[in-house]
Amino acid sequence: MTLRAILEKTNLTYLFLGGKGGVGKTISASAIGIKLTKYFNRVLIVSTDPAHSLSDCFDQDLSGGEPVRIDGVEGNLYGMELEAEKGMADLQRISSLNVPGMGAYPGMDNTMESNPFFGGNTTTDEFGEEQMNMQDALGLGSDLMGGGASLPPGSDEAFAFGKLLEFIEDSDYDVVIFDTAPTGHTLRLLSLPDFLDSFVGRMIKMRMKLGNLFEAIKGMFGGRQEKDQSLEMLESLKQVITKARIELADDAKTEFIPVMIPTMMALYETERLLNTLRDYGIPVEHLIINQLIPENIDCPFCSKRYKIQEKTMLTIKQYFNQYDLVKVPMLPQEIRGIDQLKMLAEILFKEENEEELFP
Ligand SMILES: Nc1ncnc2c1ncn2[C@@H]1O[C@H](COP(=O)(O)OP(=O)(O)OP(=O)(O)O)[C@@H](O)[C@H]1O
Ligand SMILES: [Mg+2]
């Protein structure tokens, strides 16, 4: 079996490569990227792995945080390495209320108490006046104000992913290939409306209520009416994520390709990944089985490994019989640079009727 069916998907938009460490996600994403430029006008490969290796794979610096055109490929192939920490910083910036001098406004306590949205603790200041503890009042816990610990797990990744989708939406790439698939957290955010509504929705509501309150207070004291841009950011993020949820479940637009090696441990891990993807409705059609060793009767070590591999392959075929298994041999050299990647692409996309190297 091969990946040729992907080339027929004219509406293909998102391709994900996922799997255990070191199984060949980056080289597969890169080889697929090169091949797709023959069928699609503009293709982008995005690496979200903190330990980036996309640059090493292409032997070109792709670390600037912006798409870079990849040299030596005939079509329009771009690569980009992203930092997840940047997503976290952005998230903290917009989730912090950042309203200086809040407690200093006279009459603040009354305003708060009359507002059903507030109901939290108050503290007494040096003059014996009650001061509202904003975070507690909002029932958010202190960390939402900057520390991040009370945000739902995976929020930083999810946020970074949402921002990435927003960026993709605004640019004109036909296909975007994700090297290092988003983890379960991100998938959960994209797949569970409840999670989305309780997180982004709650922040939007909170900001709207606070925004109105502050506008009113600022107005009373002659302050300038400033537009709350973080609210807009959150709203557009929510829209992007909602749209992405639909697109990621659309098998004409999205395909997730798990990459694995022929070992039992990789098999169990892949099974868990497939279950998660199934739960979230993310389409899977192919599995890449990489690093298959060829039979070699002259080498006792190799033939022993080959025998074990033969057995494991039987189990893999039983477990994953509804998927197209795309087999890739272990090559004698490291796969790096355009020429090697093109060779890998030939293997991944070879004609269906070509003889199988591994039965
Ligand atoms: N079939 C193969 N033949 C020869 N070398 C291979 C093969 N598959 C992978 N490699 C080599 O194994 C290494 C790991 O591959 P790659 O970086 O694509 O894995 P990865 O899944 O992206 O790893 P990570 O989880 O660390 O990001 C690379 O040096 C690559 O050249
Ligand atoms: Mg990698």
Side-chain angles (χ1 to χ4, degrees), residues 4-111:
R4 283 198 87 78
I6 291 176
L7 304 175
E8 327 261 284
K9 293 188 172 186
T10 46
N11 288 326
L12 185 68
T13 314
Y14 302 120
L15 210 52
F16 293 89
L17 279 294
K20 269 171 82 73
V23 291
K25 299 179 293 292
T26 301
I27 55 163
S28 301
S30 305
I32 293 170
I34 294 175
K35 184 74 177 182
L36 290 193
T37 56
K38 296 210 170 101
Y39 295 78
F40 298 88
N41 187 21
R42 282 161 58 84
V43 178
L44 172 68
I45 307 174
V46 182
S47 162
T48 51
D49 187 344
H52 294 297
S53 56
L54 200 59
S55 294
D56 299 335
C57 189
F58 280 106
D59 207 4
Q60 194 178 331
D61 184 6
L62 308 169
S63 65
E66 305 226 330
V68 175
R69 192 161 197 273
I70 293 173
D71 300 328
V73 181
E74 291 85 55
N76 300 312
L77 183 63
Y78 293 79
M80 173 165 75
E81 292 179 339
L82 278 190
E83 310 301 331
E85 300 88 65
K86 199 170 169 300
M88 191 67 212
D90 282 350
L91 178 63
Q92 288 189 347
R93 189 163 48 76
I94 67 163
S95 64
S96 69
L97 300 175
N98 197 23
V99 185
M102 170 81 201
Y105 292 108
M108 192 60 165
D109 293 333
N110 290 343
T111 316

Side-chain angles (χ1 to χ4, degrees), residues 1-2 292 306 313 317 324-329 347 350-359:
M1 290 289 181
T2 88
L292 283 156
Y306 183 79
M313 278 308 288
K317 282 179 192 162
D324 286 347
L325 304 183
V326 181
K327 295 175 217 154
V328 178
I347 298 170
K350 71 178 189 299
E351 297 290 343
E352 294 288 355
N353 55 12
E354 273 181 51
E355 207 187 315
E356 287 264 9
L357 223 92
F358 298 90

